[in-house]
Amino acid sequence: APEDSLTFSLAWRLQRPTHALLGLPLAIGVALAEALEVFGVRPQLKWPNDVLRDGAKLAGILIETASDGGRGDATWAVIGIGINLAVPVGLADELQRPVGAATELQKAPRETVLAIIASALAGVLEEFEQRGFGAFVKRWEAFHAYAGQAVKIVDNGRVVHEGTAVGVDMMGRFLMDTELGQVEVLAGDLSLRLQDG
């Protein structure tokens, strides 16, 4: 139902070439998590683009980019965000996994919620444009859902890495300690999961 979620897209022109946008989904996650805290929600971030609450998916982030015409020094990013405000009865059973919700956001006018989130996004996008993802590493790790936990990286159903979640680096790559040493994982068609999940 429309009142059960808040979904929107934001177009933003960044004075950075497309290849310099590594880590942008994680920075957007920081903005969204910090905005949700304003409403009393305690979010967690799951690399690379999910927001969790008590381990269940609360929100998702999807970013599409396009070079700004013939100019190689600017990129348009369209940032899509979807937040669960309520969980319909039976949805968790249908999906066979828990679903998070931020019912606190239903108490304020939807325009107010959107304005607070948009303001947080604007601040983060301006800072990202100037300083890149390196400026957000510690802020992202403050919300890290799996810090210190046993995790695995799955590629098309095949486990490619197993180890302990550490954090992220200055480029937004996921860091994990494995039996062979520390591994950096770059986003792609990969899925991060808890070992027992």
Side-chain angles (χ1 to χ4, degrees), residues 182-195:
Q182 192 167 92
V183 173
E184 303 93 15
V185 181
L186 188 62
D189 294 329
L190 301 173
S191 175
L192 169 65
R193 301 179 190 165
L194 289 170
Q195 284 281 18

Side-chain angles (χ1 to χ4, degrees), residues 117-189:
I117 294 171
S119 178
L121 288 169
V124 161
L125 285 161
E126 288 170 356
E127 187 172 0
F128 183 92
E129 185 173 52
Q130 297 299 315
R131 302 175 59 201
F133 180 69
F136 296 93
V137 171
K138 292 203 180 310
R139 286 163 70 183
W140 190 93
E141 290 181 343
F143 293 103
H144 187 186
Y146 297 161
Q149 297 187 57
V151 295
K152 57 188 173 184
I153 300 292
V154 180
D155 183 9
N156 293 318
R158 184 177 62 89
V159 176
V160 292
H161 296 293
E162 292 181 290
T164 303
V166 175
V168 292
D169 68 8
M170 300 284 279
M171 294 173 55
R173 295 178 298 190
F174 185 73
L175 302 175
M176 59 189 295
D177 286 335
T178 71
E179 290 182 354
L180 301 175
Q182 192 167 92
V183 173
E184 303 93 15
V185 181
L186 188 62
D189 294 329

Side-chain angles (χ1 to χ4, degrees), residues 7-187:
T7 58
F8 61 94
S9 295
L10 171 68
W12 194 274
R13 186 177 183 275
L14 292 137
Q15 288 292 337
R16 282 178 165 253
T18 305
H19 70 268
L21 298 183
L22 284 175
L24 182 59
L26 284 74
I28 296 301
V30 168
L32 186 53
E34 290 175 349
L36 289 170
E37 283 190 316
V38 171
F39 298 95
V41 177
R42 293 180 52 95
Q44 304 161 297
L45 294 175
K46 177 188 169 198
W47 180 89
N49 57 357
D50 287 339
V51 180
L52 309 180
R53 185 176 199 180
D54 300 323
K57 186 168 179 178
L58 168 65
I61 299 162
L62 181 64
I63 301 175
E64 293 190 17
T65 59
S67 180
D68 186 11
R71 299 187 52 175
D73 61 343
T75 306
W76 278 99
V78 178
I79 301 155
I81 293 177
I83 307 168
N84 299 326
L85 305 183
V87 180
V89 175
L91 180 61
D93 291 336
E94 182 182 328
L95 297 175
Q96 297 183 346
R97 66 173 185 254
V99 180
T103 55
E104 297 90 337
L105 274 64
Q106 292 180 310
K107 296 173 186 170
R110 194 164 282 225
E111 295 81 5
T112 301
V113 173
L114 188 56
I116 288 171
I117 294 171
S119 178
L121 288 169
V124 161
L125 285 161
E126 288 170 356
E127 187 172 0
F128 183 92
E129 185 173 52
Q130 297 299 315
R131 302 175 59 201
F133 180 69
F136 296 93
V137 171
K138 292 203 180 310
R139 286 163 70 183
W140 190 93
E141 290 181 343
F143 293 103
H144 187 186
Y146 297 161
Q149 297 187 57
V151 295
K152 57 188 173 184
I153 300 292
V154 180
D155 183 9
N156 293 318
R158 184 177 62 89
V159 176
V160 292
H161 296 293
E162 292 181 290
T164 303
V166 175
V168 292
D169 68 8
M170 300 284 279
M171 294 173 55
R173 295 178 298 190
F174 185 73
L175 302 175
M176 59 189 295
D177 286 335
T178 71
E179 290 182 354
L180 301 175
Q182 192 167 92
V183 173
E184 303 93 15
V185 181
L186 188 62

